[in-house]
Structure formats: structure tokens, C-alpha cells
Amino acid sequence: MMHRIAALLISSTACVVLAGKPINIRATLRGQTYEVSNISSLSELQASIEEQTGLSTTKQSALFDGKKLSEIDELEEQGVSEGDTISIVPIGTKKKKKKPVAVPAAASTVATTEDAPVAAAPSTGMGMIDDLLKQTGIDPERLKKLAGGKTGEKP
């Protein structure tokens, strides 16, 4: 019975030693700095950041001294000490790029105020550009006069 108690005490002591000394650090995320107190592991840091910012622990990666921190080792074992700053990088939160909007080819009709289709006037040398200007209600000839006769065509 004495051996079991001694084994239990030794294993309890080993757990305390392995837990590491709690430290206070700073964490930066998206330009903001957060104070994180009494932690010794990456999981504790991530839980604190989730509590302060709402960013899930599964969406966080931690960098210190140019290296990604391991979830297995204690922070002190990875060189982190009291007062250090750890960078938290969001992962898997990429914004979707907007797909470019396809511009339809120039139509052969132009809408009137009554929305009745009419035949498009012949273009003035700029072809598709003149047609698009007309579709949006801009008179290409008037635009050229306002621009001083410059048509945008190469000489």
C-alpha cells in the first residue's frame, strides 16, 4: 500500500513539473495586442485569444521568433518567456474573391424611355465603345467634342 501512495505522489509531482511555470505574455492578432496571463501552453493561449476575440482555436496558428509554435510542447520549452509577444495568425479564413462580371457584347438595339427597342445608330469609328456609350445614354459625338476632338484612337 505504501508503494502505491509513493507512486501516486511521484506521478502527481511529475504532472505539476510537466505543466510548466505560468507566464504572462502578449499576443497580436490583426494589428491588435492582447494581454494573456498565467498560461503555460499553446492551448491555454489559444483559448484566451478565442475568449477575447471570438476567433476559434481551430482557426489560430501561433508564431514566435519566426517559427510556428507546437501544441505538444510547453511555451517555455519553445523559448517563450515572461513578457514576450506571440503572433496569432488566422488560418482558413480567406475571403472569397469576387468573380469578374462578364460584359456582354454590344447589343444591336438601344432602349428608349418607353423601353421599346430601336435600331442602333451607326457607330462613329469607335465601334463597340460607341455602342456601349449609347446604351448607357451617352452621346459619343458630344463626348468627343467635350474632350476636344480626341477619340482615343491611335494616330
Side-chain angles (χ1 to χ4, degrees), residues 26 43 45 59 63 67 74 77 86 91-92 102 119 123 132 151:
R26 289 182 198 86
S43 61
L45 168 63
K59 302 286 184 187
L63 303 175
K67 298 174 189 163
E74 298 296 319
E77 292 173 8
I86 295 175
I91 55 174
S123 71
L132 289 172
T151 63

Side-chain angles (χ1 to χ4, degrees), residues 21 92 101 145:
K21 177 182 137 194
V101 178
K145 287 179 186 175

Side-chain angles (χ1 to χ4, degrees), residues 55-137:
L55 181 64
S56 169
T57 58
T58 60
K59 302 286 184 187
Q60 299 175 30
S61 180
L63 303 175
F64 177 72
D65 199 25
K67 298 174 189 163
K68 183 177 177 183
L69 293 177
S70 167
E71 293 183 29
I72 298 171
D73 298 324
E74 298 296 319
L75 293 175
E76 282 189 333
E77 292 173 8
Q78 299 180 74
V80 179
S81 56
E82 184 75 25
D84 283 343
T85 300
I86 295 175
S87 298
I88 302 296
V89 179
I91 55 174
T93 57
K94 292 181 182 177
K95 293 182 181 178
K96 292 183 179 178
K97 292 183 179 180
K98 293 182 180 179
K99 292 182 180 178
V101 178
V103 178
S108 61
T109 60
V110 176
T112 64
T113 55
E114 295 89 26
D115 291 332
V118 295
S123 71
T124 59
M126 292 289 288
M128 189 175 182
I129 294 173
D130 284 350
D131 292 339
L132 289 172
L133 288 170
K134 288 177 188 176
Q135 287 178 11
T136 59

Side-chain angles (χ1 to χ4, degrees), residues 30-44:
R30 297 183 179 127
Q32 297 281 345
T33 301
Y34 301 92
E35 298 294 327
V36 183
S37 302
N38 297 319
I39 60 164
S40 59
S41 67
L42 181 58
S43 61
E44 291 172 339

